[in-house]
């Protein structure tokens, strides 16, 4: 089994910054894709940013130029630096990982989520 644990959410004023972290643990042989998704109240979960192992980062248009995704493969961690935050960034942010584990298959995992609220 694999667990993803997010941290770093909170309340921030418009224009402020937050840094989210996600640690993957458990029965992990290799991780391919790591990403962040978010879900605002009344809306579907949407892709925010992602990074394939050894690949270039990719971003949703709504966050390009403001958010930066990075990962530490040695620690099985992924980060999301969020700058110039807007009220419309308010959502629960979920960590995602595509993991090859002891079951000898690729599986998708999501964390429990961390709340980000942008408000004055």
């Amino acid at each position: 089994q694999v667990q993803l644990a997010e941290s770093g959410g909170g309340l921030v004023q418009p224009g402020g910054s937050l840094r989210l972290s996600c640690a993957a643990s458990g029965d992990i042989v290799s991780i391919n894709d790591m990403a962040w998704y978010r879900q605002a109240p009344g809306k579907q979960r949407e892709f925010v940013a992602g990074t394939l192992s050894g690949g270039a980062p990719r971003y949703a248009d709504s966050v390009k130029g403001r958010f930066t995704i990075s990962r530490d493969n040695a620690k099985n961690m992924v980060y999301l630096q969020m700058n110039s935050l807007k009220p419309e960034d308010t959502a629960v942010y979920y960590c995602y990982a595509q993991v090859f584990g002891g079951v000898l298959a690729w599986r998708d995992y999501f964390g429990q989520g961390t709340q980000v609220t942008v408000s004055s």
Side-chain angles (χ1 to χ4, degrees), residues 34-51:
M34 299 192 83
W36 291 93
Y37 287 75
R38 67 186 181 188
Q39 187 168 18
K43 295 186 177 182
Q44 291 188 331
R45 188 176 298 186
E46 65 176 1
F47 171 81
V48 176
T51 174

Side-chain angles (χ1 to χ4, degrees), residues 8-31:
L11 173 64
V12 63
Q13 292 187 341
S17 298
L18 280 176
R19 186 180 189 236
L20 305 183
S21 299
C22 173
S25 62
D27 191 10
I28 299 170
V29 174
S30 178
I31 300 178

Side-chain angles (χ1 to χ4, degrees), residues 4-118:
L4 301 179
E6 303 100 334
S7 61
L11 173 64
V12 63
Q13 292 187 341
S17 298
L18 280 176
R19 186 180 189 236
L20 305 183
S21 299
C22 173
S25 62
D27 191 10
I28 299 170
V29 174
S30 178
I31 300 178
N32 183 26
D33 193 18
M34 299 192 83
W36 291 93
Y37 287 75
R38 67 186 181 188
Q39 187 168 18
K43 295 186 177 182
Q44 291 188 331
R45 188 176 298 186
E46 65 176 1
F47 171 81
V48 176
T51 174
L52 293 167
S53 178
R58 58 197 192 278
Y59 299 95
D61 288 342
S62 58
V63 307
K64 280 181 181 176
R66 300 187 298 122
F67 290 11
T68 302
I69 189 170
S70 60
R71 65 190 281 178
D72 184 333
N73 292 326
K75 296 181 179 179
N76 289 334
M77 293 194 70
V78 63
Y79 308 93
L80 186 68
Q81 178 65 43
M82 305 185 293
N83 299 329
S84 303
L85 283 161
K86 305 174 181 180
E88 51 263 43
D89 294 318
T90 295
V92 177
Y93 283 71
Y94 297 91
C95 177
Y96 161 84
Q98 186 182 46
V99 178
F100 190 86
V103 296
L104 302 182
W106 289 100
R107 290 186 176 175
D108 298 330
Y109 295 91
F110 282 94
Q112 293 297 308
T114 185
Q115 177 70 46
V116 171
T117 302
V118 184

